[in-house]
């Protein structure tokens, strides 16, 4: 070792961090200094290039409080070409110690000479950081994890994977544990520094196949799905840049909570939406009963709509006569019928068939013209297809369909519904989904217009299905569907057609299904999604919820998801669990007292209650001078308490959770199983501690 080299490992690592940050600033300055005035042919190219440069500058931003790198690998042999960004480039020259060392971080950083200083966590050479073990070291001599306070590197921890003397130690990483347990304030964090081997396998699965992840609370399934998007964009950037990616969440609060994860990983161009956003074609002003929503969400409605869309197609009774100049060309009704039946048999989209029919008729006319000695070309065929007589014949045989008007008629005209649903829906089911129930002996009220109708969320999905039957919905390259267990079969179909030619990552937990139509099995859900061959993975090792808390919540599993494996927790610290029964009249003061206790600790706090209890708790918190937020609002050091309706708790997490009156959470749902599932969700939002405050008796299964 040269005499001038620093012998303090921590100082050396801090020096590398400082040099890496300087190199990242240099990379950004190089992009900012680019002059595009001489390399663009026109203003369109200039605008595109300017946008691309702007996005690159954003991606190279250095966030002071986010670790630039979080790990280091020392290889037995130099890893080679994978060190370069994107897995390309020449192997480093020489065989020195530096050539066998890789720093793993959120993005690639190289020095002025192009040599890597930080390797993107998604690069192949980074994979052993997550998967190497003492049994399978993957050519890694040493794995070093770094601890940070704010943006300052303050600690490190080593694993000597190839040292036989350490082979039997098997101690858990304290830095890894500390990172998992670090207090949560603000939006969801990435887990890039803490990805476990079983999670990494899912993250790095190929683009071609669909993966379904059944994940118990705290297993990191949402973060795994988001990191999978980041990985796929790295490994298949050009393809996904053309076809697009989409993350679908259950509600806006959830999307706001996760929206910073991908930008933290350097990915800025991923669209996020709810299923409602995808199918938003009409204004929603109505609500269905649970029974009506269940029927409208049933896969049988797809067949009802298919019949309804085609119901207007009629066979001709008159010939089509085309006049061109002094000649009249007659296509008899039986030949027109053959053309219609041929298109029906092909089962192509309604509008595609409607566009093909005038060309078919025009071709029949051209055959007659050629037989008469004329020599028509394609321009003549196009002109005949636009002939008023042909247009009129097509409109009569294959009329245009407006999806919203079609669904409006279906839900407001009992005779039309009965005709299309015959053999699919029972008479009682048909009556349940009609907007205005027919009264015996009374005329049916006139259907309302599309704008005036009180559409429900389930109606919007029906309109989307009808629209796809009319014209094909464009497909994306990859879709991530989170909290998928709550979707109806018709909602699965709506998502599936957005990735019909691409792949999907499906994330959920059957035990957390809180809709009356929640899926009973992933094989059934994947069939509705159009991905029956998807690979199903199960995550049962929890990293977020302490074992005391997950064991308490798991008392509900036999009732809400029989046969589902109970989650385990790898957390060494057991966590805090407090169950407090008070007199019913003392419930509000007891909840406020619990909130005061947990606010005295560091981290975020979630107060979860039945939706009907939110106004009373809002007033009580205000009266006690306790500032609080609504779900979706970002917590800060000043305001760390969020008041969460139980219906919006799914997918969220807090350091400490206070659950108000579990019986009220259960009773708010239409049936006991759904209510217990809602309670299971509420009980599993805690990272460090859970307080359950109740005045009414606990649900029998929770009381043990």
């Amino acid at each position: 070792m040269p005499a001038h080299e620093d012998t303090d490992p921590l100082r050396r690592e801090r020096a590398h961090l400082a040099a890496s940050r300087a190199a990242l600033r240099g990379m950004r300055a190089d992009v900012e200094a680019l002059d595009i005035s001489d390399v663009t042919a026109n203003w369109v190219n200039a605008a595109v290039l300017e946008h691309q440069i702007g996005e690159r500058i954003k991606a190279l931003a250095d966030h002071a409080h986010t670790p630039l790198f979080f790990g280091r690998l020392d290889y037995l042999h130099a890893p080679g070409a994978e060190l370069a960004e994107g897995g390309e480039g020449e192997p480093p020259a020489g065989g020195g110690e530096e050539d066998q060392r890789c720093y793993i971080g959120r993005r690639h950083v190289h020095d002025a000479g192009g040599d890597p200083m930080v390797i993107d966590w998604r690069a192949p050479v980074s994979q052993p950081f997550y998967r190497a073990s003492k049994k399978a070291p993957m050519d890694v001599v040493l794995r070093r994890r770094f601890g940070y306070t704010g943006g300052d590197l303050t600690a490190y921890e080593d694993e000597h994977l190839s040292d036989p003397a350490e082979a039997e130690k098997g101690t858990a990483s304290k830095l890894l544990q500390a990172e998992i347990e670090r207090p949560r304030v603000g939006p969801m964090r990435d887990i890039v520094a803490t990805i476990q081997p079983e999670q990494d396998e899912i993250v790095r699965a190929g683009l071609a196949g669909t993966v379904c992840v059944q994940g118990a609370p705290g297993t990191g399934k949402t973060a795994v799905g988001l990191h999978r998007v980041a990985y796929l964009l790295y490994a298949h950037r050009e393809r996904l840049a053309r076809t697009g990616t989409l993350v679908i969440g259950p509600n806006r609060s959830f999307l706001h909570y996760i929206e910073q994860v991908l930008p933290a990983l350097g990915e800025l161009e991923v669209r996020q939406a709810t299923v409602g956003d995808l199918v938003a074609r009409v204004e929603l002003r109505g609500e269905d009963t649970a029974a009506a929503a269940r029927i409208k969400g049933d896969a049988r409605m797809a067949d009802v709509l298919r019949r309804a869309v085609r119901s207007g197609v009629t066979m001709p009774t008159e010939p089509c006569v085309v006049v061109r100049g002094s000649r009249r060309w007659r296509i008899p009704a039986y030949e027109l019928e053959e053309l219609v039946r041929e298109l029906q048999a092909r089962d192509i989209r309604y509008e595609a068939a409607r566009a093909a029919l005038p060309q078919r008729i025009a071709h029949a006319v051209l055959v007659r013209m050629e037989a008469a000695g004329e020599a028509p070309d394609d321009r003549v065929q196009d002109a005949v297809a636009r002939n008023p007589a042909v247009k009129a014949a097509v409109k009569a045989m294959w009329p245009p369909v407006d999806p919203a008007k079609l669904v409006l008629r279906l839900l407001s005209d009992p005779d039309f519904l009965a005709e299309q649903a015959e053999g699919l829906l029972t008479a009682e089911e048909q009556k349940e989904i009609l907007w205005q129930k027919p009264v015996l002996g009374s005329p049916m009220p006139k259907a309302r217009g599309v704008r005036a109708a009180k559409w429900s969320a389930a109606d919007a999905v029906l309109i989307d299905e009808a629209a796809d039957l009319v014209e094909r919905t464009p497909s994306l390259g990859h879709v991530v569907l989170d909290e998928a267990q709550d979707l109806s079969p018709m909602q699965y179909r709506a998502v599936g057609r957005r990735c019909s030619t691409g792949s999907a990552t499906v994330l959920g937990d059957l035990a957390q299904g809180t809709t009356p139509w929640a899926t009973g099995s992933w094989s059934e859900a994947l069939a509705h999604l159009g991905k029956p061959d998807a690979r199903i993975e199960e995550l049962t090792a929890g990293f977020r919820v302490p074992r005391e808390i997950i064991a308490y919540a798991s008392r509900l599993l036999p009732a809400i998801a029989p046969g589902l494996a109970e989650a385990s927790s790898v957390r060494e610290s057991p966590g805090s669990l407090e169950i407090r029964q008070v007199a019913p009249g003392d419930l509000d003061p007891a909840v406020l007292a619990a909130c005061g206790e947990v606010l005295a600790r560091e981290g975020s706090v979630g107060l979860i209650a039945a939706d009907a209890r939110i106004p009373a708790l809002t007033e009580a918190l205000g009266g006690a001078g306790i500032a609080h937020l609504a779900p979706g609002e970002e917590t800060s050091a000043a305001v760390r308490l969020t008041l969460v309706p139980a219906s919006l708790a799914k997918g969220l997490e807090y350091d400490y959770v206070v659950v108000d009156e579990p019986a009220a959470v259960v009773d708010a749902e239409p049936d006991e199983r759904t209510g217990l599932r809602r309670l299971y969700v509420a009980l599993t939002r805690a990272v460090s501690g859970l307080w359950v405050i109740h005045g009414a008796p606990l649900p029998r299964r929770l009381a043990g």
Side-chain angles (χ1 to χ4, degrees), residues 68-87:
L68 188 57
F69 57 79
F70 45 81
R72 190 184 105 185
L73 292 176
D74 289 6
Y75 279 93
L76 190 61
H77 305 95
E82 304 91 80
L83 282 176
E85 185 173 14

Side-chain angles (χ1 to χ4, degrees), residues 120-143:
D120 194 304
W121 67 274
R122 299 166 287 186
V125 75
S126 301
Q127 185 171 316
F129 183 77
Y130 303 108
R131 297 199 194 178
S133 66
K134 288 172 176 135
K135 290 183 178 178
M138 300 175 71
D139 203 40
V140 174
V141 177
L142 177 141
R143 173 167 53 206

Side-chain angles (χ1 to χ4, degrees), residues 414-455:
D415 294 334
F416 184 61
L417 177 60
E419 182 182 350
Q420 309 312 319
E422 184 180 0
L424 295 171
L425 302 180
T426 67
E428 284 302 311
E429 287 174 323
Q430 294 174 35
K431 184 177 179 181
E432 186 64 45
I433 65 173
L434 280 168
W435 280 342
Q436 295 168 307
K437 310 298 186 278
V439 179
L440 191 63
S442 301
M444 190 69 185
K446 186 178 179 182
R448 293 160 288 186
V450 169
R451 290 189 178 181
K454 291 186 177 180
W455 299 103

Side-chain angles (χ1 to χ4, degrees), residues 492-563:
Y492 280 121
R493 291 175 61 87
V495 174
R497 51 182 163 264
R498 265 86 184 173
C499 56
S500 58
T501 59
S503 58
T505 301
V506 181
L507 311 164
D509 180 9
L510 297 178
Q512 297 185 57
T514 51
T515 56
W517 49 85
T519 190
S521 72
W522 287 121
S523 57
E524 178 187 337
L526 292 166
H528 293 309
L529 191 70
K531 308 290 183 184
D533 298 327
R535 185 175 114 211
I536 301 176
E537 298 283 352
E538 188 169 5
L539 295 176
T540 58
F543 303 95
R544 173 174 58 80
V545 185
R547 64 177 64 125
E548 250 187 357
I549 296 173
I550 196 66
Y552 180 68
S554 293
R555 294 179 182 182
L556 301 174
L557 281 179
I560 62 177

Side-chain angles (χ1 to χ4, degrees), residues 320 354 358 361 384-397:
C320 176
R354 189 170 181 274
I361 297 172
V384 172
R386 296 192 299 270
N387 184 278
V390 174
K391 286 184 176 182
V394 169
K395 186 175 182 180
M397 294 182 291

Side-chain angles (χ1 to χ4, degrees), residues 43-78:
W43 69 270
V44 175
N45 291 345
V48 170
L49 188 55
E50 189 174 346
H51 173 74
Q52 292 174 339
I53 289 173
E55 293 302 301
R56 178 64 174 161
I57 290 170
K58 288 181 191 175
L60 291 173
D62 183 11
H63 303 286
H65 295 290
T66 302
L68 188 57
F69 57 79
F70 45 81
R72 190 184 105 185
L73 292 176
D74 289 6
Y75 279 93
L76 190 61
H77 305 95

Side-chain angles (χ1 to χ4, degrees), residues 319-331 365 368-369 372 374 389:
C320 176
V321 180
V322 177
V323 178
R324 282 187 59 81
S326 61
R327 302 293 300 270
R328 292 162 59 88
W329 307 99
R330 182 177 180 275
I331 309 299
V365 171
R368 286 162 171 76
M369 294 173 71
E374 296 189 23

Side-chain angles (χ1 to χ4, degrees), residues 526-602:
L526 292 166
H528 293 309
L529 191 70
K531 308 290 183 184
D533 298 327
R535 185 175 114 211
I536 301 176
E537 298 283 352
E538 188 169 5
L539 295 176
T540 58
F543 303 95
R544 173 174 58 80
V545 185
R547 64 177 64 125
E548 250 187 357
I549 296 173
I550 196 66
Y552 180 68
S554 293
R555 294 179 182 182
L556 301 174
L557 281 179
I560 62 177
L564 198 64
E566 183 176 329
S568 60
S569 177
V570 300
R571 295 279 296 277
E572 289 187 337
S573 55
S576 302
L577 176 61
E578 294 275 349
I579 315 297
R580 297 179 184 173
Q581 182 169 11
V582 299
D586 295 333
L587 184 61
D588 287 0
V591 168
L592 295 179
C595 290
E597 286 180 45
V598 293
L599 284 170
R601 309 185 183 198
E602 186 182 4

